[in-house]
Amino acid sequence: MLRDPDSVLPTSERALEVEHPNWKPDDHLITLLAANAHEHGGEVAMRERDRGIWQEYSWADCLRQVLEAAAGLELLGVRPGDNVLVIGDNRPAIYFSMLAAITLRAVPTPAFPDVTPIELAGQAEREAVRFAVAEDQEQVDKLMDVRAHYPALEWIVYDDPRGLTGKEPKGVLAFTEIQRRGREALAADAQLQRALVARPRSTDVAVLLHSSGTTGVPKGIPLKHGHVLAAVRHAAAAGYFSEGEVHVAYMPVAWVGDFIFTIGAALALRFTVNIPEGQETAQHDLREMAPTLYFNSPRAWSTMLTRVQVGIDESTALKRWLYRRFMPFAVALEHKRLKGHAPTFGERLWRSLGELLVYGPIKDQLGLARVRSPYTAGEAMGEDTFVYFRALGLDLRQFYGQTENCALCAAQDSGAVNLQTVGRPFPGMEIRISDEGEILMRGDNVFDGYYDNPEATAETLKDGWMHSGDAGYLDKAGELVVLGRVSEVVHTAARVRFIPTYIENRLKFSQYIKDVCVIGAGRDWLSALVAIDLEAVGHWAQENGVPYTSFADLSQKPQALDLIASVIAHVNEVLPPDTRVRRFVNLHKEFDADDGEITRTRKLRRGTIEDHYGAIIDAVYDGRAEIEFEAQITYETGETGVLKRVLAIHDVPGAQDAMKAGAAA
């Protein structure tokens, strides 16, 4: 007999079950999949590029694959309420497995593919995982390491057969074998397919995602079918995306954006989901996929801009001339449009010619020629990058959201983009600002509480409102301005208030800075640890005749130090004198998730950074000009090594004088 999932969830989870009057019990992801298969069975639902050939799955194919996997997993022992760990890159079998678990009222709990075995074991143990789905041999090997310390992991199901077929360890099965068993079960019971589709309900947890874990162990964030579908429908009502979009699935499966776009919105609005062959081929594959909907992080948009600029510099003289003739015009025109200027007939004519000669070809090369809905989110985006892509003719907009509200909370309006805001709340979403300046929200897409963590839930959900942890305000037009994390509001020794992320985001507007950590809490002035962007600074070095041999070597070149100093000085100009960065160090390596310095979503773990680089920070504030530093690094295998370099400590021109002038005033 199957167990009721409510009977196997932790007591704290059952206590958090709340009434959602707008949800219908049978309105869930699996009924949407079944409806799409019934009404649009022959239409393409998913494509995957495999060994250079596009493999297509219709809606009918997807339903069959999911139900076969569900029947097979049930025979394996998966039961309602079980947490099924999922790890790997974007692959049809990964998505089919997740939907199969959802069909059984079990809960997929995805992990980032580059997570270490130790982190993976922690997740498995906290969530009492008995079953796991892995993409390939690499991930199976990790899970075998996990099982050595966590024997409760009973079964590992794998997709890619290379290196595994015929050599499977005990408790390891191929996804195709699971489906074969499921096919037999479905053939033996004519009612099983209908019964499987009818099992879930809107109040079931559809996925267990996780917070970034910037200050400790990541918190589990259960999202129910009703939450996911409410978020998608709110966004669709705001024109965020439309039925039948062509979408690219390249974001990490463990990230909320992938689940909402690739599963939630794809099922609710019948997207065609395209999966590139691999992360390294995604940009090439993008041209063939020709999406209509495209989301990327600010850093990725900036990287794309760098690639365009590098390509132009390496192109023919004619192309460089055309680019330098038309692109500055388009950027200037977009700046005027954002201020309310209506283009004149002559401007529209010149813009049309530029579309034919420059803007259109660039978008085609980037794979964005058909994109109607381009978006960015996750952190502040540099104005130059934002305006550049809008100047190309892309209606690029920012949105704001968190895992706890299914990533969809507010977005900029298509016809009235304000560079200083993240836009208006979606229909169905209420936002207000607390007396302490914290952004509060409520709506059917806001989660009901953390997994088995009543204390964290009580801190986040109060009186029907979700406390976002972000500081911000609503401007006169009702648009939301996000300042940074409330928890990251700190003070200098002179009690000057500042938000490090606010400064860091503006420094990262530069293509030359990949990551930066601003130091200054409890100190007399601010400093920064900088990780350069190797591609952008490397190209700059090549153009300016600066030879280098490695990341570490380039970071310490006097010319590279001057370059970063100029970037910081530029940002300092818009900051109050007593919150300007006075000194900085170019680190010899990037911040690394394997070293615990950033999360898998690239958010800073400040405590770890200040611990790892404490000697450097002391040298910065001691007034030294350089420091010999040994850094311990952790490889993907878990092994460690040491990287030793002499690091220069650089002053930022004008920062100290500005601070003195401010103090005197």
Side-chain angles (χ1 to χ4, degrees):
M1 178 181 295
L2 292 179
R3 294 175 290 175
D4 182 346
D6 295 337
S7 70
V8 295
L9 288 173
T11 302
S12 58
E13 284 295 300
R14 295 202 303 273
L16 292 172
E17 188 77 21
V18 298
E19 290 292 332
H20 289 276
N22 297 323
W23 295 4
K24 297 178 181 178
D26 61 350
D27 183 25
H28 54 75
L29 297 173
I30 305 306
T31 53
L32 291 174
L33 173 59
N36 291 343
H38 176 69
E39 299 168 14
H40 306 275
E43 295 179 10
V44 176
M46 183 178 290
R47 295 188 186 94
E48 178 196 26
R49 184 163 184 159
D50 184 18
R51 297 175 178 85
I53 300 173
W54 288 101
Q55 309 292 335
E56 295 186 344
Y57 299 85
S58 68
W59 283 110
D61 293 333
C62 289
L63 178 63
R64 176 180 55 80
Q65 296 261 0
V66 169
L67 294 181
E68 288 176 355
L73 287 174
E74 186 168 43
L75 291 172
L76 203 64
V78 175
R79 295 292 181 261
D82 283 340
N83 291 323
V84 179
L85 195 151
V86 178
I87 183 167
D89 285 325
N90 316 76
R91 287 290 171 262
I94 292 291
Y95 294 119
F96 295 152
S97 298
M98 294 175 72
L99 287 167
I102 291 168
T103 301
L104 298 176
R105 303 183 75 189
V107 182
T109 172
F112 286 92
D114 59 348
V115 71
T116 64
I118 293 175
E119 293 174 278
L120 201 59
Q123 179 177 337
E125 188 169 355
R126 288 191 300 274
E127 297 169 3
V129 168
R130 297 190 300 124
F131 303 91
V133 177
E135 177 196 359
D136 53 19
Q137 183 182 7
E138 177 186 357
Q139 304 300 352
V140 169
D141 289 344
K142 280 187 191 177
L143 289 166
M144 293 300 293
D145 286 344
V146 169
R147 181 188 280 170
H149 300 91
Y150 176 70
L153 180 58
E154 298 174 18
W155 287 99
I156 300 169
V157 177
Y158 67 87
D159 173 34
D160 190 338
R162 286 175 290 188
L164 287 167
T165 301
K167 304 174 184 177
E168 297 95 335
K170 183 180 179 181
V172 177
L173 275 177
F175 180 69
T176 52
E177 173 61 18
I178 295 295
Q179 288 187 306
R180 185 194 66 78
R181 297 179 185 185
R183 275 195 301 276
E184 291 181 354
L186 289 165
D189 183 351
Q191 302 303 314
L192 181 55
Q193 175 169 328
R194 183 184 297 272
L196 286 171
V197 171
R199 282 189 193 175
R201 62 175 187 252
S202 61
T203 51
D204 287 343
V205 175
V207 66
L208 180 56
L209 299 172
H210 303 86
S211 66
S212 298
T214 54
T215 57
V217 175
K219 296 186 288 289
I221 303 173
L223 299 178
K224 299 176 181 177
H225 293 262
H227 296 134
V228 172
L229 294 178
V232 169
R233 288 163 181 163
H234 291 167
Y240 183 77
F241 35 53
S242 307
E243 199 170 88
E245 298 273 17
V246 178
H247 167 61
V248 180
Y250 69 94
M251 296 176 281
V253 175
W255 188 59
V256 62
D258 187 65
F259 191 87
I260 298 301
F261 280 60
T262 307
I263 293 181
L267 291 174
L269 299 171
R270 292 200 333 277
F271 287 4
T272 300
V273 174
N274 294 272
I275 302 175
E277 187 148 4
Q279 292 295 323
E280 65 280 358
T281 68
Q283 188 59 48
H284 176 270
D285 295 344
L286 194 63
R287 292 191 69 194
E288 295 186 34
M289 292 182 279
T292 61
L293 171 72
Y294 185 70
F295 167 77
N296 223 328
S297 67
R299 172 54 56 183
W301 284 105
S302 180
T303 299
M304 194 180 291
L305 171 56
T306 299
R307 191 165 61 249
V308 171
Q309 293 170 331
V310 170
I312 291 296
D313 288 341
E314 295 176 349
S315 65
T316 65
L318 175 60
K319 289 181 179 179
R320 289 197 300 273
W321 183 86
L322 287 171
Y323 181 85
R324 290 163 185 166
R325 187 74 178 87
F326 281 94
M327 204 63 230
F329 161 78
V331 169
L333 181 61
E334 184 59 28
H335 273 292
K336 291 195 293 184
R337 287 178 57 189
L338 290 171
K339 294 177 182 177
H341 168 75
T344 65
F345 174 78
E347 288 171 333
R348 292 197 304 271
L349 186 63
W350 192 249
R351 179 69 180 69
S352 297
L353 182 60
E355 179 69 26
L356 178 66
L357 297 174
V358 177
Y359 320 135
I362 289 176
K363 287 183 289 186
D364 179 62
Q365 284 294 318
L366 295 174
L368 306 178
R370 288 207 310 158
V371 170
R372 298 189 303 263
S373 305
Y375 298 102
T376 187
E379 58 186 359
M381 188 177 195
E383 180 177 324
D384 291 346
T385 302
F386 187 74
V387 172
Y388 178 90
F389 283 102
R390 289 188 60 85
L392 283 180
L394 295 169
D395 187 22
L396 180 60
R397 291 180 277 165
Q398 296 190 66
F399 74 86
Y400 168 73
Q402 298 165 309
T403 305
E404 289 88 342
N405 53 51
C406 299
L408 298 173
C409 177
Q412 294 172 326
D413 293 333
S414 178
V417 170
N418 183 334
L419 294 175
Q420 309 306 318
T421 80
V422 295
R424 304 176 190 277
F426 287 131
M429 170 61 68
E430 296 179 73
I431 291 180
R432 70 179 179 89
I433 309 300
S434 73
D435 294 339
E436 295 75 28
E438 183 178 7
I439 300 169
L440 311 183
M441 57 192 70
R442 67 181 177 187
D444 276 343
N445 56 312
V446 173
F447 82 143
D448 293 332
Y450 293 106
Y451 177 82
D452 205 20
N453 194 337
E455 294 82 9
T457 297
E459 291 177 4
T460 301
L461 298 176
K462 301 175 185 177
D463 301 322
W465 291 87
M466 174 189 149
H467 290 239
S468 68
D470 285 334
Y473 63 90
L474 293 165
D475 68 9
K476 293 180 180 179
E479 297 197 18
L480 181 65
V481 178
V482 181
L483 299 174
R485 297 295 290 172
V486 171
S487 61
E488 293 188 344
V489 176
V490 293
H491 299 81
T492 65
R495 302 302 298 166
V496 175
R497 178 179 180 271
F498 72 99
I499 302 177
T501 50
Y502 179 85
I503 302 172
E504 290 159 359
N505 285 335
R506 274 142 189 81
L507 289 170
K508 289 191 293 182
F509 286 171
S510 167
Q511 60 183 323
Y512 301 122
I513 297 179
K514 184 168 186 176
D515 277 309
V516 57
C517 181
V518 170
I519 309 295
R523 299 182 181 272
D524 293 331
W525 40 270
L526 274 57
S527 64
L529 305 178
V530 176
I532 64 171
D533 187 294
L534 180 59
E535 181 179 3
V537 179
H539 176 69
W540 175 89
Q542 181 181 351
E543 291 294 307
N544 289 273
V546 180
Y548 68 95
T549 58
S550 64
F551 181 106
D553 180 48
L554 177 60
S555 71
Q556 301 308 306
K557 292 290 185 182
Q559 300 93 327
L561 289 163
D562 289 340
L563 174 67
I564 300 303
S566 69
V567 171
I568 297 175
H570 177 69
V571 172
N572 275 347
E573 292 175 4
V574 299
L575 296 174
D578 45 10
T579 63
R580 294 179 179 179
V581 175
R582 286 178 52 177
R583 306 192 83 198
F584 74 95
V585 174
N586 276 355
L587 296 177
H588 50 303
K589 62 181 278 293
E590 296 180 1
F591 291 137
D592 196 326
D594 289 333
D595 294 334
E597 297 162 352
I598 55 174
T599 68
R600 298 292 166 185
T601 54
R602 300 202 65 81
K603 293 181 180 178
L604 300 182
R605 286 193 168 115
R606 297 185 186 280
T608 302
I609 289 172
E610 293 192 23
D611 180 55
H612 283 188
Y613 302 106
I616 296 176
I617 295 170
D618 289 342
V620 169
Y621 286 95
D622 287 348
R624 281 176 267 174
E626 64 179 27
I627 178 175
E628 186 175 54
F629 182 72
E630 288 188 0
Q632 182 170 313
I633 56 175
T634 304
Y635 301 102
E636 290 185 4
T637 60
E639 297 177 344
T640 60
V642 174
L643 192 60
K644 186 175 181 179
R645 295 290 301 189
V646 174
L647 304 179
I649 302 172
H650 205 287
D651 293 322
V652 180
Q656 188 168 356
D657 294 338
M659 189 171 180
K660 289 179 179 178

